[in-house]
Amino acid sequence: MVEECTTNDSEGRHTGEDVAWLACDAGPIRGHAGSMTTERAQLLKQLSPTQGFTTVGDNQWASWPGLSSKFELSTDTVIGIFYQTATLGQDSPLGSRLYLDTFERREARAMEGGTRYASLGAAYFGAAAPGSHQFEVQYKTPKSFGVSATSEWQTRTAQVVSFPGAKVLRASSPTSPFALDGSDKWTGWPGLTKSVVLDAATLVLAYYSTVMPGQNQQITSKLF
């Protein structure tokens, strides 16, 4: 018998942004609270294109070739969209972003700047309604260069996964500007401190992402 996770989301926020907390059913699990019986995630879409292409190089957003598709849902479901690319960087900025159903999902941005090679990746978690959905991964760079997915290290991939019985408990996508502390001490990211309340032992996934200028300095981040 499958036991659905029960949660208390007092604010009723079910939109995945930069911090997404998922109470997620993902198969039999054993931990400090004992065993929990859960539903299993489903892979809805898997993309791994192998055709080569040349980046536009006009510093305007363009679709990553092969990283856009549709998927279908039969019920209200929490989904995860994941993408990753490994290409040349040509010592030039290279950014990426994700669109779902004509809306950009800000938490799924990624950026590399001024490096010979570039690896970009991000994820989006959110509740989606029954029906057809369209997603697209885009890139932007001021330099034109070739991309080959058949080399031993270059790649671009995207996956869509559904999480039956899961709930987005808390999400945050702060937009207020701020200055880094600069004291070389662990400091809370403004707007990325949240709490959740659970009514039962539950598998929880906490995910965060930041994209910002590095000013040629080391920036380290960790989750408590």
Side-chain angles (χ1 to χ4, degrees):
M1 178 179 178
V2 174
E3 299 176 356
E4 183 176 351
C5 297
T6 57
T7 60
N8 177 16
D9 180 16
S10 59
E11 295 182 8
R13 299 189 60 184
H14 291 271
T15 57
E17 297 292 351
D18 287 70
V19 177
W21 293 79
L22 289 174
C24 159
D25 293 334
I29 298 165
R30 292 188 176 275
H32 297 298
S35 62
M36 295 182 287
T37 303
T38 62
E39 299 177 36
R40 294 190 180 277
Q42 298 178 354
L43 180 63
L44 302 179
K45 188 67 64 172
Q46 167 73 50
L47 304 177
S48 187
T50 58
Q51 73 273 21
F53 74 99
T54 300
T55 59
V56 177
D58 61 358
N59 210 30
Q60 301 295 316
W61 289 107
S63 179
W64 276 105
L67 296 188
S68 61
S69 187
K70 293 182 178 180
F71 61 93
E72 300 280 340
L73 295 174
S74 58
T75 61
D76 290 311
T77 309
V78 170
I79 61 167
I81 302 177
F82 310 86
Y83 72 86
Q84 190 264 338
T85 68
T87 67
L88 294 172
Q90 298 290 51
D91 300 314
S92 179
L94 177 63
S96 64
R97 65 182 183 181
L98 172 71
Y99 267 76
L100 174 62
D101 297 335
T102 72
F103 293 98
E104 188 203 352
R105 309 300 169 163
R106 296 180 65 251
E107 68 274 36
R109 295 174 176 177
M111 184 72 184
E112 286 278 7
T115 56
R116 184 176 181 182
Y117 305 102
S119 180
L120 303 174
Y124 162 78
F125 296 98
S132 178
H133 298 272
Q134 172 82 36
F135 76 92
E136 178 188 27
V137 184
Q138 299 180 347
Y139 74 91
K140 181 172 74 169
T141 179
K143 199 164 188 177
S144 179
F145 56 87
V147 174
S148 170
T150 60
S151 73
E152 63 179 2
W153 63 270
Q154 294 192 52
T155 187
R156 58 189 191 277
T157 65
Q159 301 84 29
V160 181
V161 180
S162 68
F163 300 94
K167 297 180 180 179
V168 178
L169 301 180
R170 187 59 59 88
S172 178
S173 183
T175 58
S176 300
F178 71 96
L180 293 178
D181 181 81
S183 62
D184 202 25
K185 298 179 180 179
W186 290 110
T187 307
W189 280 104
L192 299 189
T193 299
K194 301 296 175 182
S195 62
V196 296
V197 178
L198 301 174
D199 297 329
T202 307
L203 174 67
V204 175
L205 169 64
Y207 172 82
Y208 74 94
S209 174
T210 65
V211 181
M212 58 178 298
Q215 301 296 337
N216 296 318
Q217 298 295 319
Q218 174 182 310
I219 301 177
T220 309
S221 182
K222 62 182 178 180
L223 174 70
F224 282 85

